[in-house]
Amino acid sequence: MQISEIFYSIQGEGRLIGTPSVFIRTSGCNLRCVWCDTPYTSWIPQGEKRSTEEIVNEVEKYPNRHVVLTGGEPLLAAEVEQLAMDLKRLGSHITVETAATIFKPVVCDLISMSPKLAHSTPRTREKGKFVKMHETGRLNLAAIQRFVNGYDYQFKFVVQQKEDFAEIEEILGGLKSVDVSKVLIMPQGKTTREIRLRVNWIIDLCKKYGFGYTPRLHIELFGNRRGT
Ligand code: SF4
C-alpha cells in the first residue's frame, strides 16, 4: 500500500487527545478538500509502496499500544483490512481516521469519522476541476450509518463558518441512533492564529447544540508539520 509516513507522536484531536500513538499515514484520497492539511496525500500524493509486513515491522520499533491509521483516506487501500488485523495481533488499540465516504469492515477499536461539509469543496482551485468528484463523494450516509451501527465511533466535524452547525444537524438528522456525546467539532485552520480566531463562536455554538469541542493540539504544539 502507498504510505506517506509512519511516525510516533501524540494524538492531537478527538477523545484520545494526548495519547502517545504510532501514526500510519496512507497516501491517496478520493476527496480534495480546499483546505486539506495533508496535501501530500491528496492534491499531490506522495509516498512509497510498502507491504503490510514492512509496515508492521516498522510499527513494532515504537511503543505501539495505540496505533492510528490515517491518511489521505486509509480505507481506499486494498490491504487496509489485512494491516488492521496484523496490528491487532500486536495487541494495539487501533483508531481509523476516515472521511467515511466508503465502508469497509476494518477491524478497529475506534472509527473516527470526519465527514466533509459543503465549505470544503474546491470551487475555484485548479479551475474547479475537482468540484464534481468532491461533491458527489464527500457524503455517504449509508457508509456512516454502518460505522455508527457496528463500531465504537466519534465524529470530528471541521467547522469554518457558523452555518456549518446547521449542516451538521442536517447530516445527523439523516442518521439513526447517533450518540450526540460522540460528536466533536474542531476549527478549520492550519495555524494557531486561524484556530484562535474561530474558537470563541465555535464553543458558543457547541454549547447551544450539545456537541463537544476538540482542539487541534498538534498544531498548537508543533505547527502544521509532517511527522507530528
Ligand atoms: S478527506 Fe482528508 S486527506 Fe482527503 S482531501 Fe480532505 S482533508 Fe485532505
Side-chain angles (χ1 to χ4, degrees):
M1 57 204 289
Q2 198 76 8
I3 297 295
S4 162
E5 54 185 350
I6 298 174
F7 59 93
Y8 185 50
S9 186
I10 57 166
Q11 176 58 270
E13 301 168 347
R15 73 185 205 214
L16 291 175
I17 195 165
T19 305
S21 307
V22 183
F23 291 78
I24 303 168
R25 189 184 299 289
T26 63
S27 191
C29 189
N30 55 344
L31 300 182
R32 292 292 182 278
C33 301
V34 66
W35 40 254
C36 180
D37 56 0
T38 56
Y40 47 92
T41 68
S42 57
W43 288 90
I44 315 158
Q46 298 161 4
E48 54 181 40
K49 281 242 178 251
R50 301 183 71 174
S51 68
T52 52
E53 191 182 354
E54 285 170 336
I55 297 166
V56 171
N57 288 343
E58 172 96 23
V59 168
E60 280 189 294
K61 292 178 188 165
Y62 302 103
N64 57 51
R65 209 160 73 76
H66 284 261
V67 176
V68 181
L69 278 167
T70 189
E73 175 48 73
L75 296 181
L76 288 179
E79 306 93 331
V80 68
E81 289 164 76
Q82 183 62 52
L83 176 61
M85 283 192 290
D86 293 347
L87 292 168
K88 204 67 211 151
R89 272 185 222 114
L90 298 183
S92 308
H93 174 288
I94 301 173
T95 301
V96 174
E97 296 184 334
T98 174
T101 58
I102 48 176
F103 177 85
K104 269 189 189 170
V106 62
V107 171
C108 71
D109 300 279
L110 175 65
I111 191 93
S112 180
M113 294 181 279
S114 183
K116 297 303 182 281
L117 304 180
H119 73 252
S120 66
T121 302
R123 302 239 165 249
T124 54
R125 192 164 166 178
E126 298 200 13
K127 298 185 179 155
K129 76 176 183 188
F130 289 107
V131 168
K132 192 171 172 207
M133 179 185 101
H134 188 89
E135 270 299 304
T136 54
R138 72 181 168 82
L139 269 187
N140 182 345
L141 290 185
I144 296 171
Q145 188 68 62
R146 289 182 75 179
F147 285 126
V148 167
N149 294 348
Y151 288 79
D152 191 7
Y153 65 90
Q154 67 181 7
F155 284 99
K156 289 187 309 181
F157 286 100
V158 177
V159 159
Q160 178 167 280
Q161 57 209 12
K162 293 179 182 170
E163 302 76 53
D164 292 346
F165 277 80
E167 194 180 338
I168 292 167
E169 275 239 304
E170 196 181 325
I171 292 168
L172 297 177
L175 298 164
K176 293 189 185 80
S177 312
V178 171
D179 178 351
V180 77
S181 72
K182 296 182 175 183
V183 179
L184 303 173
I185 306 296
M186 59 186 185
Q188 200 282 103
K190 293 180 208 157
T191 63
T192 305
R193 188 174 170 275
E194 275 182 288
I195 289 170
R196 289 207 179 130
L197 281 174
R198 296 194 164 106
V199 72
N200 288 338
W201 61 260
I202 289 179
I203 285 178
D204 282 347
L205 287 171
C206 280
K207 284 156 67 182
K208 177 178 168 191
Y209 283 82
F211 302 148
Y213 174 82
T214 175
R216 308 190 76 190
L217 187 61
H218 53 302
I219 291 182
E220 287 171 35
L221 294 178
F222 311 117
N224 187 31
R225 286 196 291 114
R226 291 175 77 150
T228 58

